[in-house]
Amino acid sequence: MRVTAAVGLVALAIGMLAHGAGAAPNTSCPAAWAHGWQSLADKVGAPVYCPTWMPNPLDARIGGQYQDIYSIGKDRSYLVSFLEHGDLGSGDVHVNFRGYPGRKLIPHCPAPVGHGTLPCFSDPVGRMSANGIRATVYQVNQGADQWHVLLAWHYRGGLYTVSQHVINPYDSATRVRQNLQRLLKSLVLVQPAR
Amino acid sequence: MRLTRRRFIGGAAAAAVAGGGIYELVDRLGSSPARPAVEPAGMPPEQHLLDLTTTHSEGVEVIVPPLHHAIVTAKLDVGDLRAAQTKLEDVLRDIDSTYPLTPAGLGVTVAWGIPYFDKYVPAQAKAHLPHDRRAQKQVLLPTRRFPSDPSTTILETNDLVVLLRSDRIEHIEAARKEIFGLPFLTVTSIRRGFAGGGFDGGRSLPKKMALAAGVPGADLIPDSAELFLGFTSTQKAGLGPGTIANHETLGYVDLRSGYFRNGTHMHLSHISEDLEAWYLNFDFAERVLTAFRPGMTDVRDGTQTVAQGPPQVSPESDLVRQFHKTGRFGHSASIQATSRLQQDTIGVDGTHYAKGTAIPQRADFNTLDNPFAFSIDPARDGVRKEPSAGVHFVVFNPSGDDFERNRLAMDGVLPGGTKLSVPPRNRAAGFNSVLTTTHRQNFLVPPRRHRSFPLAEL
């Protein structure tokens, strides 16, 4: 499900989010996945983050067997989702990558109760640093990131996130945070070609 | 999202769990709160009262609950009712003489269900059971489901229940064995749990126990939370004081012959708690407005103990107005419409109770039972070995109707007929979307002098 970013923005987000470091990561997107992420960067006209590691059994090949959602909004924001839906109760492994080029503030999502909106990412519970990125950990998230733990950070005026669902087999927030730490460490920037 | 046995016993707690059950961890993970050494001069006529100390948490006076709790339900197989009455009373008096009536000793509460009164003392019950004059109903009502209960909620039919409370688990176990060693009692369930710790700023017992058991969401519980859901629930001002929950105190009940003076009504239920849903879908601000009321914006992020005194009581008109404005209502605010005195009241003993004073006396505690530690019919009760976060909810009210008013208000059904229209178990209705009630039963708590087979001697 694509989260539609509402017009309202959260002023506090500037204060809450940590900024990515200026230095670019020094590894590259895996060859088998690179085409899809390069294509995404070109389409949104902004840098995107390609993971070089994914929680088992996922890979991050856009267009591959685990890709679930691939959505680019009119505002150039994107959501790329990878999902393994286990049969017979073996659980799900679900990782989302988002980018909001040119946007620093957290978007708003429809409120679960009533007619208002609320921040798509909320309940910051800490910080996580790796790979030159200092991210904020959000525990309560909406839309496709509901029931996920999410990391959010800024890079060159844009907002980026990665999140994972807390569900069997990664069935605690602690385990998911361990995966997210590893994911954060694995991210490499892919610059648009034009 | 099921836990595996391997994971359950795989943690640091494995040895303790394998040795004697998860609840032995309470002794290893918790320490007894400081209690006054003074023993009460005599036992009060009420069985449900236990003198508890208070402390302060985040500037709010809170009652320190006993660390350990056990509830045992039973059915009877009695031929000679009077002989059984004598034997049970002898055992209870022996326990009374062994342990002081304090958390350091033991609190014992014996209560009786409708099946007992119907089967064993129907004529006496007809003549002596108290009558709720406000509701025009019996004080002890048949157990029912409420709008947010699933159809699977089991309405139990136990003859009696015994509530045991102490800081010392060995006191509870010794008393349990003594009482339920009586040959005419068949245990139908054993329910265990714990509460407290954390008021000194250290890691609380519920947090430690949940982590040790590996229940989903355990890592999300705030470290010093009194209960799994993260908020303190034993604010002194939020619990009924003294004898306010006695049948007779507020004048709601016609005692008729007076046999049950100093008695009360007890509701018992087991409620499963979805901790992951609570902590991953509700941010702190929404947890506050869900637990308390919408519009409560002055609660500092991370607060666990929120004042619940008369100044914080929401009148029903505010509740309705907030609901129309926000489309939701909070747990506390909805219940306060019925659980708090709506005006200053003088009790039958002359005690002055200020407007906003709480009436119910809760004795609920967290559990890892799924849903019971033991059941005589595990298939019917849905017993599973994997631990699960929940609460054994125990509350004393002057009457069954008084309890029902509170419980209905929790579902948005207010006593004046107003209905805050929200689908059952909707996120807009307080805690309801993360709670599932599995079992319920109503009981009558006789005064201490009639706690053993009430009415049997008549």
Side-chain angles (χ1 to χ4, degrees):
Chain A
M1 184 178 74
R2 175 79 167 93
V3 173
T4 303
V7 289
L9 298 174
V10 181
L12 279 177
I14 284 181
M16 297 304 304
L17 285 168
H19 288 259
N26 57 11
T27 54
S28 58
C29 192
W33 309 348
H35 174 74
W37 291 96
Q38 183 63 59
S39 174
L40 176 65
D42 293 345
K43 285 179 182 171
V44 301
V48 300
Y49 284 87
C50 164
T52 59
W53 174 86
M54 289 286 277
N56 184 49
L58 298 181
D59 62 34
R61 185 179 172 203
I62 293 173
Q65 65 170 318
Y66 296 113
Q67 185 204 296
D68 180 41
I69 300 171
Y70 182 84
S71 171
I72 300 174
K74 289 178 181 173
D75 62 353
R76 299 188 296 141
S77 66
Y78 66 86
L79 166 62
V80 181
S81 169
F82 299 92
L83 170 68
E84 158 69 2
H85 181 61
D87 294 328
L88 304 174
S90 62
D92 292 344
V93 184
H94 186 198
V95 174
N96 292 337
F97 295 90
R98 291 182 184 275
Y100 300 88
R103 169 175 291 166
K104 283 192 169 183
L105 303 182
I106 293 175
H108 270 201
C109 288
V113 175
H115 303 295
T117 62
L118 79 178
C120 296
F121 322 128
S122 61
D123 234 19
V125 292
R127 296 280 173 85
M128 195 178 283
S129 297
N131 195 22
I133 299 169
R134 190 156 181 254
T136 300
V137 183
Y138 288 93
Q139 195 163 277
V140 178
N141 304 292
Q142 307 298 324
D145 296 305
Q146 190 172 34
W147 221 291
H148 288 218
V149 177
L150 178 143
L151 307 183
W153 67 95
H154 287 128
Y155 179 72
R156 290 195 180 170
L159 173 64
Y160 294 86
T161 74
V162 57
S163 75
Q164 186 182 348
H165 196 171
V166 180
I167 189 172
N168 186 31
Y170 300 106
D171 60 356
S172 76
T174 302
R175 298 188 72 187
V176 164
R177 284 176 71 150
Q178 289 166 352
N179 280 351
L180 290 172
Q181 177 77 58
R182 195 165 172 187
L183 267 166
L184 193 65
K185 190 176 178 182
S186 84
L187 295 177
V188 296
L189 273 170
V190 177
Q191 300 288 348
R194 54 183 186 280
Chain B
M1 301 258 276
R2 298 290 179 207
L3 289 169
T4 65
R5 180 71 179 162
R6 179 193 59 74
R7 181 172 169 202
F8 173 42
I9 63 172
V17 172
I22 188 74
Y23 297 107
E24 288 193 356
L25 283 170
V26 176
D27 272 347
R28 298 186 182 206
L29 300 178
S31 56
S32 299
R35 303 287 188 189
V38 181
E39 195 171 333
M43 294 228 166
E46 292 83 7
Q47 282 196 79
H48 57 289
L49 297 183
L50 188 59
D51 194 19
L52 300 172
T53 57
T54 66
T55 187
H56 281 79
S57 170
E58 298 174 325
V60 178
E61 188 175 16
V62 296
I63 288 173
V64 181
L67 282 179
H68 303 270
H69 298 71
I71 291 168
V72 184
T73 58
K75 296 235 180 191
L76 297 167
D77 184 8
V78 178
D80 185 341
L81 208 56
R82 289 209 180 182
Q85 183 184 45
T86 301
K87 286 179 181 170
L88 176 58
E89 186 59 24
D90 285 349
V91 166
L92 293 171
R93 283 176 187 266
D94 182 53
I95 291 169
D96 288 346
S97 66
T98 305
Y99 306 105
L101 183 60
T102 67
L106 181 68
V108 181
T109 306
V110 186
W112 301 81
I114 284 179
Y116 164 74
F117 292 106
D118 283 353
K119 182 175 179 184
Y120 291 97
V121 287
Q124 301 98 310
K126 195 172 180 183
H128 295 277
L129 281 182
H131 189 79
D132 186 330
R133 57 166 67 99
R134 181 177 60 166
Q136 290 299 303
K137 296 173 181 173
Q138 290 293 318
V139 158
L140 182 57
L141 298 173
T143 308
R144 55 165 288 183
R145 294 186 186 88
F146 295 90
S148 62
D149 285 345
S151 59
T152 53
T153 302
I154 293 172
L155 306 181
E156 298 185 272
T157 57
N158 296 293
D159 288 326
L160 78 154
V161 63
V162 177
L163 168 66
L164 301 161
R165 295 180 276 178
S166 177
D167 288 342
R168 305 285 296 272
I169 199 167
E170 64 269 25
H171 295 178
I172 288 176
E173 285 305 292
R176 179 182 69 79
K177 286 175 184 168
E178 201 170 348
I179 296 168
F180 292 95
L182 291 168
F184 47 81
L185 298 178
T186 301
V187 171
T188 53
S189 75
I190 300 175
R191 314 171 193 201
R192 295 190 174 118
F194 45 84
F199 290 137
D200 58 359
R203 184 172 271 188
S204 69
L205 201 49
K207 170 79 173 187
K208 291 177 185 174
M209 294 292 290
L211 283 174
V215 295
D219 50 346
L220 303 171
I221 301 169
D223 265 3
S224 57
E226 183 191 33
L227 294 167
F228 289 150
L229 294 183
F231 292 115
T232 301
S233 84
T234 58
Q235 293 90 336
K236 186 176 181 186
L239 297 172
T243 59
I244 196 170
N246 285 21
H247 295 311
E248 68 276 9
T249 299
L250 296 176
Y252 298 163
V253 172
D254 175 2
L255 286 172
R256 305 174 74 198
S257 68
Y259 186 96
F260 287 96
R261 185 183 305 280
N262 308 116
T264 189
H265 178 276
M266 170 177 161
H267 182 79
L268 170 66
S269 56
H270 170 266
I271 303 166
S272 293
E273 297 180 337
D274 189 339
L275 301 186
E276 276 190 344
W278 180 236
Y279 288 110
L280 290 178
N281 292 336
F282 295 70
D283 64 18
F284 181 77
E286 191 177 4
R287 293 202 296 274
V288 168
L289 67 88
T290 298
F292 301 100
R293 61 177 167 80
M296 188 174 251
T297 56
D298 57 347
V299 179
R300 182 176 48 82
D301 206 31
T303 298
Q304 292 173 11
T305 304
V306 177
Q308 288 291 281
Q312 286 77 39
V313 172
S314 299
E316 184 176 323
S317 56
D318 281 2
L319 173 69
V320 174
R321 188 165 51 248
Q322 281 281 1
F323 176 73
H324 289 312
K325 183 177 173 186
T326 64
R328 65 194 309 160
F329 56 86
H331 174 77
S332 288
S334 64
I335 291 179
Q336 284 171 353
T338 60
S339 70
R340 302 300 185 104
L341 290 175
Q342 301 302 304
Q343 61 277 318
D344 287 4
T345 303
I346 306 294
V348 290
D349 62 352
T351 302
H352 174 259
Y353 298 104
K355 178 182 178 182
T357 299
I359 302 168
Q361 293 175 331
R362 284 183 288 103
D364 49 312
F365 54 93
N366 274 145
T367 186
L368 294 165
D369 291 349
N370 191 4
F372 304 148
F374 164 81
S375 167
I376 197 170
D377 189 347
R380 185 200 80 141
D381 287 324
V383 173
R384 300 179 66 92
K385 287 183 179 176
E386 300 87 357
S388 177
V391 61
H392 289 304
F393 187 78
V394 177
V395 65
F396 304 109
N397 291 75
S399 71
D401 174 74
D402 195 60
F403 165 73
E404 289 193 356
R405 287 170 186 248
N406 296 342
R407 185 58 188 78
L408 285 166
M410 180 176 161
D411 287 345
V413 181
L414 304 182
T418 302
K419 188 169 188 319
L420 309 179
S421 191
V422 173
R425 309 198 63 222
N426 186 277
R427 184 170 176 149
F431 281 137
N432 288 347
S433 71
V434 298
L435 304 181
T436 305
T437 304
T438 68
H439 294 72
R440 291 191 180 282
Q441 190 175 356
N442 294 328
F443 297 92
L444 202 68
V445 183
R448 195 176 303 278
R449 62 187 176 275
H450 295 311
R451 62 186 167 179
S452 300
F453 291 86
L455 303 172
E457 74 280 9
L458 300 181

